Amino acid sequence: MSLICVSDLSFTYEGSYTPVFEDVSFQIDTDWKLGLTGRNGRGKTTFLRLLQGKYEYRGSISAGVEFDYFPFPVEDETADTLEVILGQMPDVEFWQLRRELTLLGVREEVLYRPVGTLSHGERTKVLLAALFVRENRFLLIDEPTNHLDLEGRRLLGEYLTRKKGFILVSHDRVFLDSCVDHMLSINKTDIQVQKGNFSVWYENRQRQDAFEAARQQRLKKEIGRLREAARQSGNWGDQVEATKIGKKSVNYERGRDYVGEKSRRMQQRRKNLERRQERAIEEKSTLLKNAERAESLRLEPLFYHREVLVEARELTVGYGEKTVCGPVTFQIRRGDRILIRGANGCGKSSVMKAILEMAREAVNGADPSKEGSRKRDQMCRTGAPRRTGGILEVGSGLVISWIPQGTAHLRGALDDYITGQGGDKTLMRALLRKLDFSREQFEMPLESYSEGQKKKVLIAGSLCRQAHLYVWDEPFNYIDLYSRMQIEELICTWNPTLLCVEHDRAFGEAIEAQILSLPGGSQGII
């Protein structure tokens, strides 16, 4: 056991005027299992890179261990997985690697396959297993749950429960609760360490914010009372001072002394009240400095004239000769909130894209069959050759708002992107502000955004478009917890018809979603 000590850490990116960290200090134990949380763009990945010594900074970071980062880069995707691991960590013992893979439920044969052929889940587990084999290392694990299905997250959580000595960046509340014993939170003004899992940290955070908010309200009232009292004391003092002028009487000099003293006391009372007021204002300014204000989002979905928007009967989806999904039967009805679940590679995205493509073809004038629906059993004309079988019917004139899984297409200026999508700049910027974007962020190129900020651009773009059906493919990868909660509230308030691939169990429970399980689980909506 040893300590990692951070003292007076300050860091600002070159060319920026806004510091990422400013004079932050804390210490952590190398035996702890730490969850790292903070809003997108707050500096989580930057902090991990500072620990690795990749950036110059002011202050000091001292540690009695070496740091390893997940995911480490793979230069040759065609190389066998074992070759890549040994190239990165030549001291790894093979029997130890096999042991770790067994704990993660991964077959040994994946070691002899090219890295590029591994699924997201297999790749995550293999790279983590290799890192945990090394001794006297402290792991910096950056968002390992992205693209992992529910079963993969469960296995990974159980695996990390057996380990110690890591910082884990994740926005999956259930996953964090399952495997961390301390939380490291990057706030607006500092970094704080707290014992407990995410739920304990979040409950304490809410209590602190509520306490400070109540205290701030009391101080506001006190400041108002002090201001009024100071104003009255000043008026009285001025009135008393005025009585010293033009007075003629037998005891005139004595009277002037009395009135002067009374005026002095009134003015002193006013000064005392003003000092108390200044102290109260200063105290109020220290409250709620780290409170996260997540404003409510707005959405106005279009009303569709039919009850059933999409219907699939014995639908299969494949590429070339390979069938990746089906047969599956389901309906999407007006107001439904449906999450597609299934193992990685089971065709979740393919089903969504088949629906999206059919809706686009209908809008572009393709011949629909009776009642605006058509049977689909042909090769797709765009993108990779996709083959569908069975029956897929999409309602006539159905407008879909789509969020793709990837963000690689986000380049250039934000306003140019909004214009290219046919969006409203004012509305889009207002939504992004509510999702914790700064105004300065709007002037930066999209390439400079964090992955979470890029996903927020896609989400805001979807919310800006009125639609009958919202189809989102893993929208929450990299998205911070507060923004997830904002979107949960949005869905529950405005009740859009939603078809979504998302493996965050807490999100599904919050919006009371139906589950469409693709083969690998039970079929149909349950």
Side-chain angles (χ1 to χ4, degrees):
M1 180 187 79
S2 61
L3 294 177
I4 299 171
C5 299
V6 177
S7 300
D8 299 321
L9 174 66
S10 296
F11 175 76
T12 304
Y13 278 107
E14 186 177 352
S16 174
Y17 297 101
T18 305
V20 181
F21 305 114
E22 191 167 18
D23 297 324
V24 295
S25 300
F26 60 91
Q27 62 182 29
I28 56 180
D29 195 305
T30 56
D31 281 345
W32 288 351
K33 297 179 269 195
L34 285 132
L36 176 57
T37 187
R39 298 208 72 163
N40 295 128
R42 197 63 61 78
K44 297 183 293 297
T45 299
T46 299
F47 174 65
L48 299 186
R49 289 173 177 165
L50 288 171
L51 289 178
Q52 298 173 79
K54 291 192 173 183
Y55 299 143
E56 292 185 6
Y57 57 87
R58 287 194 297 107
S60 66
I61 299 175
S62 61
V65 292
E66 296 293 325
F67 295 103
D68 280 334
Y69 179 79
F70 169 91
F72 58 80
V74 176
E75 294 181 1
D76 185 2
E77 295 282 334
T78 65
D80 283 352
T81 303
L82 182 58
E83 180 184 342
V84 170
I85 292 173
L86 293 177
Q88 186 79 17
M89 291 161 281
D91 56 338
V92 166
E93 293 286 347
F94 185 70
W95 67 269
Q96 292 176 315
L97 183 59
R98 287 182 58 189
R99 179 195 63 201
E100 299 300 314
L101 291 177
T102 300
L103 292 174
L104 283 163
V106 179
R107 298 187 303 274
E108 182 183 335
E109 59 92 9
V110 302
L111 295 174
Y112 307 104
R113 285 166 45 196
V115 174
T117 67
L118 302 186
S119 69
H120 288 294
E122 289 171 335
R123 186 175 183 133
T124 294
K125 293 171 186 176
V126 168
L127 297 187
L128 268 179
L131 290 173
F132 269 113
V133 166
R134 307 182 77 183
E135 296 181 357
N136 197 34
R137 317 291 289 190
F138 191 85
L139 264 61
L140 310 175
I141 308 171
D142 201 354
E143 306 218 36
T145 56
N146 288 334
H147 309 294
L148 274 186
D149 57 38
L150 277 178
E151 180 62 14
R153 294 183 186 209
R154 184 188 66 80
L155 285 172
L156 185 58
E158 290 179 354
Y159 177 76
L160 291 177
T161 301
R162 302 186 183 101
K163 303 298 180 180
K164 61 182 180 180
F166 60 79
I167 292 176
L168 168 66
V169 180
S170 177
H171 302 298
D172 186 322
R173 290 153 280 185
V174 175
F175 180 70
L176 283 172
D177 277 349
S178 72
C179 57
V180 304
D181 55 24
H182 286 75
M183 289 296 297
L184 187 67
S185 59
I186 299 181
N187 306 316
K188 292 179 179 178
T189 61
D190 59 16
I191 299 179
Q192 295 177 347
V193 181
Q194 190 175 127
K195 185 176 182 180
N197 59 17
F198 169 79
S199 292
V200 171
W201 170 82
Y202 187 65
E203 183 178 352
N204 289 340
R205 180 62 178 270
Q206 286 182 306
R207 285 177 178 173
Q208 180 182 350
D209 287 352
F211 172 78
E212 291 190 357
R215 190 175 173 191
Q216 188 182 59
Q217 283 299 111
R218 290 195 300 270
L219 283 170
K220 281 182 180 179
K221 292 179 181 178
E222 183 179 350
I223 290 167
R225 182 179 61 79
L226 290 170
R227 280 177 176 163
E228 178 60 22
R231 186 188 65 81
Q232 290 181 359
S233 293
N235 289 340
W236 293 337
D238 292 341
Q239 291 171 10
V240 171
E241 185 70 18
T243 63
K244 294 194 299 182
I245 302 172
K247 292 290 184 180
K248 300 295 182 181
S249 67
V250 176
N251 298 316
Y252 176 68
E253 291 301 328
R254 185 185 302 173
R256 280 182 59 88
D257 291 343
Y258 169 75
V259 171
E261 178 62 21
K262 185 176 180 181
S263 174
R264 187 189 66 77
R265 290 181 181 179
M266 286 290 187
Q267 296 298 340
Q268 185 61 45
R269 182 168 183 254
R270 179 172 65 175
K271 290 178 182 178
N272 291 338
L273 288 168
E274 287 174 347
R275 279 196 290 268
R276 285 174 57 190
Q277 175 186 311
E278 289 170 2
R279 286 197 298 269
I281 291 173
E282 184 179 352
E283 185 178 356
K284 184 169 75 75
S285 68
T286 65
L287 300 175
L288 297 173
K289 61 182 179 179
N290 283 323
E292 300 290 354
R293 295 174 178 84
E295 295 185 56
S296 295
L297 303 176
R298 185 180 180 87
L299 177 68
E300 295 184 4
L302 296 175
F303 178 81
Y304 194 65
H305 61 282
R306 294 175 54 192
E307 179 69 20
V308 178
L309 282 65
V310 177
E311 183 170 6
R313 298 192 293 274
E314 297 297 311
L315 174 68
T316 60
V317 183
Y319 296 87
E321 298 300 319
K322 181 181 179 181
T323 298
V324 297
C325 172
V328 63
T329 297
F330 63 90
Q331 286 184 333
I332 303 175
R333 295 177 172 272
R334 192 170 58 234
D336 280 349
R337 300 192 284 260
I338 299 174
L339 295 187
I340 303 180
R341 293 267 173 85
N344 291 123
C346 72
K348 299 182 292 293
S349 296
S350 297
V351 168
M352 301 173 82
K353 289 175 181 177
I355 294 171
L356 182 68
E357 186 173 339
M358 176 164 288
R360 284 174 175 167
E361 288 183 359
V363 169
N364 291 333
D367 267 340
S369 63
K370 187 178 180 181
E371 296 182 356
S373 304
R374 71 183 282 232
K375 182 175 178 179
R376 174 95 175 143
D377 191 8
Q378 62 185 27
M379 299 293 285
C380 295
R381 296 182 183 276
T382 59
R386 184 165 52 249
R387 169 183 52 79
T388 62
I391 295 176
L392 176 60
E393 296 177 346
V394 176
S396 176
L398 188 72
V399 178
I400 295 178
S401 182
W402 162 248
I403 295 179
Q405 192 177 116
T407 62
H409 62 288
L410 295 178
R411 296 181 177 278
L414 174 64
D415 284 351
D416 291 343
Y417 171 77
I418 298 171
T419 302
Q421 297 295 309
D424 183 314
K425 292 181 184 178
T426 302
L427 178 59
M428 183 85 162
R429 286 186 171 215
L431 278 169
L432 290 172
R433 286 286 291 156
K434 290 185 176 182
L435 289 168
D436 200 46
F437 267 56
S438 65
R439 288 186 174 85
E440 291 77 12
Q441 194 76 36
F442 297 148
E443 309 307 320
M444 298 171 63
L446 291 168
E447 299 95 310
S448 69
Y449 288 14
S450 71
E451 284 301 317
Q453 289 169 329
K454 290 178 182 178
K455 294 295 282 192
K456 286 182 179 180
V457 169
L458 297 181
I459 290 172
S462 178
L463 297 180
C464 281
R465 186 183 183 193
Q466 286 188 303
H468 301 115
L469 173 63
Y470 292 81
V471 180
W472 294 350
D473 193 358
E474 298 200 36
F476 288 161
N477 285 344
Y478 306 103
I479 293 290
D480 65 70
L481 294 161
Y482 288 98
S483 298
R484 293 183 187 215
M485 294 176 187
Q486 282 175 283
I487 296 167
E488 289 169 3
E489 180 187 358
L490 167 87
I491 292 170
C492 293
T493 301
W494 296 96
N495 198 32
T497 305
L498 175 69
L499 180 66
C500 181
V501 175
E502 180 51 54
H503 303 295
D504 185 339
R505 196 170 79 195
F507 170 73
E509 292 172 354
I511 68 169
E512 299 180 345
Q514 303 177 67
I515 305 299
L516 172 58
S517 295
L518 299 188
S522 56
Q523 295 183 20
I525 295 180
I526 56 174

Short mmCIF file of all heavy atoms in Angstrom, two decimals, residues 1 37 44 76 85 162 185 196 229 266 292 299 321 346-347 360 366 387 398 428 431 454 459 474-475 492:
data_model
loop_
_atom_site.label_atom_id
_atom_site.label_comp_id
_atom_site.label_asym_id
_atom_site.label_seq_id
_atom_site.Cartn_x
_atom_site.Cartn_y
_atom_site.Cartn_z
N MET A 1 0.85 -1.19 0.00
CA MET A 1 0.00 0.00 0.00
C MET A 1 0.88 1.24 0.00
O MET A 1 1.86 1.33 0.72
CB MET A 1 -0.91 0.01 1.23
CG MET A 1 -1.83 1.22 1.30
SD MET A 1 -2.74 1.33 2.87
CE MET A 1 -1.45 2.01 3.93
N THR A 37 -15.75 10.49 -11.80
CA THR A 37 -16.93 11.07 -12.43
C THR A 37 -16.75 12.57 -12.61
O THR A 37 -15.95 13.20 -11.92
CB THR A 37 -18.19 10.79 -11.58
OG1 THR A 37 -19.35 11.21 -12.28
CG2 THR A 37 -18.13 11.51 -10.23
N LYS A 44 -11.58 14.66 -17.25
CA LYS A 44 -11.30 13.31 -16.73
C LYS A 44 -10.14 12.65 -17.45
O LYS A 44 -9.17 12.20 -16.82
CB LYS A 44 -12.57 12.45 -16.84
CG LYS A 44 -13.74 12.96 -16.01
CD LYS A 44 -14.93 12.04 -16.09
CE LYS A 44 -15.55 12.00 -17.46
NZ LYS A 44 -16.09 13.31 -17.91
N ASP A 76 -1.00 -2.31 -35.13
CA ASP A 76 -1.25 -3.24 -36.23
C ASP A 76 -2.48 -4.09 -35.91
O ASP A 76 -2.42 -5.03 -35.12
CB ASP A 76 -0.03 -4.14 -36.44
CG ASP A 76 -0.18 -5.06 -37.66
OD1 ASP A 76 -1.23 -4.96 -38.34
OD2 ASP A 76 0.72 -5.87 -37.90
N ILE A 85 -0.08 -8.20 -27.32
CA ILE A 85 0.08 -8.14 -25.86
C ILE A 85 1.55 -8.28 -25.48
O ILE A 85 2.09 -7.51 -24.68
CB ILE A 85 -0.77 -9.22 -25.18
CG1 ILE A 85 -2.26 -8.89 -25.35
CG2 ILE A 85 -0.41 -9.33 -23.70
CD1 ILE A 85 -3.18 -9.99 -24.86
N ARG A 162 -12.88 -8.10 -7.86
CA ARG A 162 -11.79 -8.93 -7.31
C ARG A 162 -10.45 -8.19 -7.31
O ARG A 162 -9.49 -8.67 -6.72
CB ARG A 162 -11.64 -10.22 -8.11
CG ARG A 162 -12.89 -11.09 -8.17
CD ARG A 162 -12.54 -12.40 -8.87
NE ARG A 162 -13.69 -13.26 -9.03
CZ ARG A 162 -14.38 -13.39 -10.18
NH1 ARG A 162 -14.00 -12.71 -11.25
NH2 ARG A 162 -15.42 -14.19 -10.24
N SER A 185 -14.38 12.80 -7.78
CA SER A 185 -15.26 13.65 -8.60
C SER A 185 -14.53 14.93 -9.00
O SER A 185 -13.97 15.63 -8.16
CB SER A 185 -16.55 13.99 -7.85
OG SER A 185 -16.29 14.67 -6.64
N GLY A 196 -16.99 5.23 -0.64
CA GLY A 196 -18.29 4.69 -1.02
C GLY A 196 -18.41 4.54 -2.53
O GLY A 196 -17.57 5.02 -3.29
N ALA A 229 -32.25 47.62 6.95
CA ALA A 229 -31.88 48.21 8.24
C ALA A 229 -30.80 49.27 8.06
O ALA A 229 -30.84 50.34 8.70
CB ALA A 229 -31.42 47.12 9.21
N MET A 266 -25.71 56.61 14.96
CA MET A 266 -26.53 56.14 13.85
C MET A 266 -25.65 55.74 12.65
O MET A 266 -25.86 54.70 12.02
CB MET A 266 -27.51 57.23 13.42
CG MET A 266 -28.67 57.46 14.39
SD MET A 266 -29.83 56.07 14.36
CE MET A 266 -31.13 56.75 15.41
N GLU A 292 -24.19 21.18 -9.65
CA GLU A 292 -24.43 20.98 -11.07
C GLU A 292 -25.89 21.30 -11.37
O GLU A 292 -26.79 20.67 -10.85
CB GLU A 292 -24.12 19.52 -11.46
CG GLU A 292 -22.69 19.09 -11.19
CD GLU A 292 -21.69 19.75 -12.13
OE1 GLU A 292 -22.13 20.45 -13.06
OE2 GLU A 292 -20.49 19.57 -11.94
N LEU A 299 -38.87 18.86 -25.81
CA LEU A 299 -39.03 18.09 -27.04
C LEU A 299 -40.51 18.08 -27.41
O LEU A 299 -41.36 17.86 -26.54
CB LEU A 299 -38.52 16.65 -26.84
CG LEU A 299 -38.69 15.70 -28.02
CD1 LEU A 299 -37.79 16.12 -29.17
CD2 LEU A 299 -38.37 14.27 -27.59
N GLU A 321 -24.03 -13.65 -47.54
CA GLU A 321 -24.61 -14.95 -47.19
C GLU A 321 -24.81 -15.12 -45.68
O GLU A 321 -25.42 -16.08 -45.24
CB GLU A 321 -23.71 -16.08 -47.70
CG GLU A 321 -23.54 -16.11 -49.21
CD GLU A 321 -24.88 -16.31 -49.92
OE1 GLU A 321 -25.68 -17.12 -49.45
OE2 GLU A 321 -25.11 -15.62 -50.93
N CYS A 346 -25.06 -9.08 -32.57
CA CYS A 346 -26.29 -9.82 -32.86
C CYS A 346 -27.20 -9.08 -33.84
O CYS A 346 -28.27 -9.56 -34.18
CB CYS A 346 -27.05 -10.15 -31.58
SG CYS A 346 -27.84 -8.72 -30.82
N GLY A 347 -26.80 -7.90 -34.29
CA GLY A 347 -27.57 -7.21 -35.32
C GLY A 347 -28.46 -6.10 -34.83
O GLY A 347 -29.38 -5.68 -35.54
N ARG A 360 -36.65 6.20 -45.33
CA ARG A 360 -36.07 7.14 -46.28
C ARG A 360 -36.53 6.85 -47.70
O ARG A 360 -36.83 7.76 -48.47
CB ARG A 360 -34.54 7.08 -46.21
CG ARG A 360 -33.95 7.77 -44.98
CD ARG A 360 -32.46 7.54 -44.89
NE ARG A 360 -31.86 8.28 -43.79
CZ ARG A 360 -30.63 8.08 -43.35
NH1 ARG A 360 -29.88 7.13 -43.90
NH2 ARG A 360 -30.15 8.78 -42.35
N ALA A 366 -40.14 5.84 -53.22
CA ALA A 366 -40.17 4.43 -53.59
C ALA A 366 -41.60 3.92 -53.50
O ALA A 366 -42.41 4.42 -52.74
CB ALA A 366 -39.26 3.63 -52.66
N ARG A 387 -28.95 -7.48 -46.44
CA ARG A 387 -30.02 -8.32 -46.93
C ARG A 387 -31.03 -8.53 -45.81
O ARG A 387 -30.65 -8.87 -44.69
CB ARG A 387 -29.47 -9.67 -47.40
CG ARG A 387 -30.52 -10.73 -47.69
CD ARG A 387 -29.86 -12.03 -48.09
NE ARG A 387 -28.85 -12.45 -47.13
CZ ARG A 387 -29.15 -13.04 -45.97
NH1 ARG A 387 -30.39 -13.25 -45.61
NH2 ARG A 387 -28.17 -13.39 -45.15
N LEU A 398 -43.61 8.44 -42.38
CA LEU A 398 -43.01 8.41 -41.04
C LEU A 398 -41.72 9.22 -41.02
O LEU A 398 -40.82 8.99 -41.83
CB LEU A 398 -42.72 6.97 -40.63
CG LEU A 398 -42.28 6.75 -39.18
CD1 LEU A 398 -43.45 6.97 -38.23
CD2 LEU A 398 -41.70 5.36 -38.99
N MET A 428 -30.29 24.94 -31.43
CA MET A 428 -29.21 23.98 -31.18
C MET A 428 -28.27 24.48 -30.11
O MET A 428 -27.88 23.73 -29.19
CB MET A 428 -28.45 23.75 -32.49
CG MET A 428 -27.35 22.72 -32.39
SD MET A 428 -27.93 21.05 -32.63
CE MET A 428 -26.37 20.22 -33.00
N LEU A 431 -29.87 24.26 -26.66
CA LEU A 431 -29.87 22.89 -26.13
C LEU A 431 -28.48 22.50 -25.62
O LEU A 431 -28.34 21.89 -24.56
CB LEU A 431 -30.32 21.91 -27.22
CG LEU A 431 -31.82 21.76 -27.41
CD1 LEU A 431 -32.12 20.97 -28.68
CD2 LEU A 431 -32.46 21.08 -26.21
N LYS A 454 -18.99 15.48 -28.42
CA LYS A 454 -19.44 15.13 -29.77
C LYS A 454 -20.78 14.40 -29.74
O LYS A 454 -21.67 14.66 -30.56
CB LYS A 454 -18.38 14.25 -30.46
CG LYS A 454 -17.10 14.98 -30.82
CD LYS A 454 -16.09 14.03 -31.45
CE LYS A 454 -14.78 14.73 -31.78
NZ LYS A 454 -13.77 13.80 -32.34
N ILE A 459 -26.95 14.33 -30.07
CA ILE A 459 -28.21 14.29 -29.31
C ILE A 459 -28.99 15.58 -29.51
O ILE A 459 -30.21 15.56 -29.76
CB ILE A 459 -27.92 14.03 -27.82
CG1 ILE A 459 -27.42 12.59 -27.62
CG2 ILE A 459 -29.17 14.26 -26.98
CD1 ILE A 459 -26.92 12.30 -26.23
N GLU A 474 -26.91 3.63 -29.43
CA GLU A 474 -25.96 3.84 -28.33
C GLU A 474 -25.65 5.33 -28.14
O GLU A 474 -24.50 5.78 -28.25
CB GLU A 474 -24.67 3.04 -28.57
CG GLU A 474 -24.91 1.54 -28.62
CD GLU A 474 -23.66 0.72 -28.38
OE1 GLU A 474 -22.82 1.13 -27.56
OE2 GLU A 474 -23.53 -0.35 -29.00
N PRO A 475 -26.67 6.12 -27.82
CA PRO A 475 -26.47 7.57 -27.70
C PRO A 475 -25.65 7.98 -26.48
O PRO A 475 -25.12 9.09 -26.44
CB PRO A 475 -27.91 8.10 -27.57
CG PRO A 475 -28.66 6.98 -26.93
CD PRO A 475 -28.06 5.74 -27.51
N CYS A 492 -39.44 10.97 -20.12
CA CYS A 492 -40.59 10.73 -19.25
C CYS A 492 -41.60 11.88 -19.33
O CYS A 492 -42.80 11.67 -19.14
CB CYS A 492 -40.14 10.52 -17.81
SG CYS A 492 -39.18 9.00 -17.56
#
